[in-house]
Amino acid sequence: STQTHNNGTIAARVMLFLSKSSLRLTLVARTLSSSSRCSSLDFPRAPTAAELVERAPQSAQKYLRLMRAHKPTGTLLLYWPGAWAIAAAAPAGSAPSVGLLALFGGGAFAMRSAGCIINDLWDRDLDREVERTRNRPLASGEVSAPQAVGLLAGLLSCSLAILCTLSTPSIIVGASSMVLVVGYPLAKRYTNWPQIVLGATFNWSVLIAWTHLMPPDQWWKVLPLYFATCLHTFIYDTIYAHQDKKDDARMGMHSTALHLGDRTRRVLGGCTVGMLGSLSLAGVATDQTWPYFVAVLGTCAHVGWQVASVRTEDPADCWSKFVSNTWLGAVLLAGIIAGNLMKKKKKE
């Protein structure tokens, strides 16, 4: 039928656009990374998040930095899993709700900012002893604890307001995540596996979105996706934690980077295989089509490259590998949307 043909055409275009965009972004990134070549370029570009914070009123900048508004990687890593669940729950042959995607984007920004403040309130004394974190607003004294608590209250209120636009079961699921949000800083003090707690916390939006969009008897279909996202977080945050392992060891803090040591690459390699298997199972559970599985292979190939090539004794390389995850979620999101548009064709 005409509708079937249109769905297949749209899906193919989405995947073609994705591949072309990825190639262009790679070429631009390589070009801009060379200072000698960059000096001869004068392309107009949008300001970065850090530049926007620098342009903000002076009195607001310290609060924006406390919220990590100048470092959007964390917000996007928090956003993608919920966006994946929203797209996966869309009706066959349909795109996800743009309004709901935007709503979860606002929630991701507010909750990531709130989580950073909670973490900094717990760790402000320790942060003063670490080169990478000693200039954070709370650690440096630029922002006082009462000021931080006031900002935290405002962010949590915004998050609650967003959550309250969803269904009652989703509100209950979302509110329960606060146990994990508050507990993560404690996990760094008393367990060797804080990255597991972070993974469970950071990807809670998968459960919120699915609960809002799907009937209760379909809850089991989202579990492979949630498990895959937890594994992804475990991988990239373990790499991230290798930046601070010497300071963490000196101060008695715990992390998977310290606990795994030389076994890091092997364990993360196994997690990457588990992520691939879980995402594949999620596709089967939600009746996905070929564009989804292509995106899964591309996503896991990139994660596998990180694990295979990361130099865990080089903090700069650990940071580079961590940041490479920033826009990776867009690849899988495009694959889910394109695969969903193909579903009607598959059924017919």
Side-chain angles (χ1 to χ4, degrees):
S1 65
T2 302
Q3 181 64 39
T4 295
H5 175 73
N6 288 340
N7 285 338
T9 301
I10 293 172
R13 286 177 178 175
V14 170
M15 295 306 293
L16 180 61
F17 171 78
L18 173 64
S19 61
K20 288 183 175 179
S21 297
S22 298
L23 178 59
R24 288 169 183 166
L25 286 171
T26 301
L27 291 174
V28 170
R30 289 178 178 175
T31 301
L32 295 180
S33 66
S34 172
S35 58
S36 60
R37 295 175 65 187
C38 186
S39 62
S40 64
L41 298 175
D42 190 24
F43 295 133
R45 62 174 180 83
T48 64
E51 289 170 344
L52 289 175
V53 170
E54 289 176 358
R55 296 177 189 178
Q58 193 69 33
S59 59
Q61 289 185 20
K62 59 185 179 182
Y63 297 107
L64 291 171
R65 286 188 284 106
L66 179 63
M67 295 162 57
R68 309 289 199 279
H70 60 306
K71 295 182 177 180
T73 294
T75 298
L76 286 167
L77 290 175
L78 185 62
Y79 171 68
W80 294 126
W84 297 341
I86 292 170
S94 302
S97 166
V98 175
L100 194 58
L101 288 172
L103 190 71
F104 270 64
F109 178 80
M111 277 307 300
R112 189 261 179 150
S113 299
C116 288
I117 295 175
I118 291 172
N119 185 73
D120 287 2
L121 284 167
W122 276 104
D123 292 350
R124 61 187 184 276
D125 293 332
L126 297 173
D127 284 343
R128 296 187 185 105
E129 306 299 322
V130 179
E131 178 67 28
R132 188 178 62 82
T133 59
R134 64 181 48 163
N135 290 323
R136 287 177 176 174
L138 268 170
S140 66
E142 189 178 7
V143 174
S144 68
Q147 289 173 323
V149 171
L151 178 58
L152 174 62
L155 289 167
L156 290 176
S157 297
C158 289
S159 300
L160 180 60
I162 292 172
L163 184 63
C164 286
T165 64
L166 304 179
S167 64
T168 300
S170 300
I171 295 172
I172 296 172
V173 172
S176 65
S177 69
M178 285 307 301
V179 176
L180 293 170
V181 173
V182 175
Y184 168 64
L186 291 173
K188 294 191 293 183
R189 288 165 168 77
Y190 301 112
T191 79
N192 290 322
W193 305 100
Q195 278 66 35
I196 292 179
V197 179
L198 183 67
T201 308
F202 230 60
N203 301 291
W204 206 255
S205 59
V206 172
L207 305 180
I208 298 172
W210 194 265
T211 302
H212 177 66
L213 292 169
M214 298 298 289
D217 63 348
Q218 300 293 307
W219 64 269
W220 59 273
K221 292 185 177 181
V222 78
L223 295 183
L225 178 61
Y226 178 64
F227 186 62
T229 60
C230 290
L231 287 174
H232 185 210
T233 301
F234 182 86
I235 292 166
Y236 67 64
D237 203 63
T238 297
I239 292 174
Y240 180 91
H242 271 281
Q243 296 178 100
D244 300 327
K245 59 187 176 183
K246 292 181 181 178
D247 290 314
D248 287 343
R250 175 170 55 86
M251 295 182 296
M253 300 295 285
H254 302 276
S255 73
T256 49
L258 280 172
H259 184 65
L260 295 176
D262 294 338
R263 296 177 295 152
T264 294
R265 202 179 309 277
R266 295 195 302 274
V267 172
L268 296 191
C271 290
T272 304
V273 174
M275 179 182 171
L276 173 62
S278 296
L279 286 175
S280 299
L281 185 58
V284 172
T286 56
D287 197 29
Q288 273 292 348
T289 54
W290 69 263
Y292 169 82
F293 294 100
V294 170
V296 166
L297 287 174
T299 299
C300 291
H302 179 81
V303 174
W305 164 78
Q306 294 176 53
V307 173
S309 63
V310 65
R311 299 188 298 274
T312 56
E313 300 304 320
D314 181 356
D317 188 60
C318 292
W319 172 254
S320 176
K321 295 299 190 297
F322 169 75
V323 171
S324 73
N325 292 280
T326 303
W327 292 102
L328 182 61
V331 175
L332 187 56
L333 179 60
I336 295 172
I337 295 172
N340 214 38
L341 292 172
M342 291 285 288
K343 283 183 181 180
K344 188 170 291 187
K345 178 180 178 181
K346 179 181 178 181
K347 289 183 177 180
E348 294 175 356

